[in-house]
Amino acid sequence: MEDRTDLTHEVIEYYVRNGISIMPQFRKTVVSDQDLKDLSAYLMRNNGRASTAKK
């Protein structure tokens, strides 16, 4: 996932909060909103959209 260039904050947030395939969902008590923003910024750093992550 680190090399993908098509990720958006909304997609990352959806997958983290709802899970996908065998990945479980993560509640705010496990992955905070700030941690999720930081994760999104890291994963989006290659696609030029990191500055559009929700603040």
Side-chain angles (χ1 to χ4, degrees), residues 1-2 9 21 29 36 53:
M1 286 195 68
E2 293 179 50
H9 174 75
S21 188
T29 56
L36 185 52

Side-chain angles (χ1 to χ4, degrees), residues 2-50:
E2 293 179 50
D3 296 327
R4 289 184 61 171
T5 59
D6 61 339
L7 297 172
T8 65
H9 174 75
E10 292 78 17
V11 168
I12 295 166
E13 180 177 27
Y14 179 83
Y15 289 158
V16 169
R17 294 290 182 225
N18 298 291
I20 184 168
S21 188
I22 63 170
M23 180 182 150
Q25 68 181 14
F26 291 92
R27 296 175 187 202
K28 291 182 181 187
T29 56
V30 176
V31 177
S32 70
D33 287 339
Q34 185 59 53
D35 288 343
L36 185 52
K37 289 176 191 173
D38 294 342
L39 176 63
S40 291
Y42 175 75
L43 291 173
M44 293 170 39
R45 74 193 183 288
N46 291 327
N47 67 0
R49 296 181 194 171

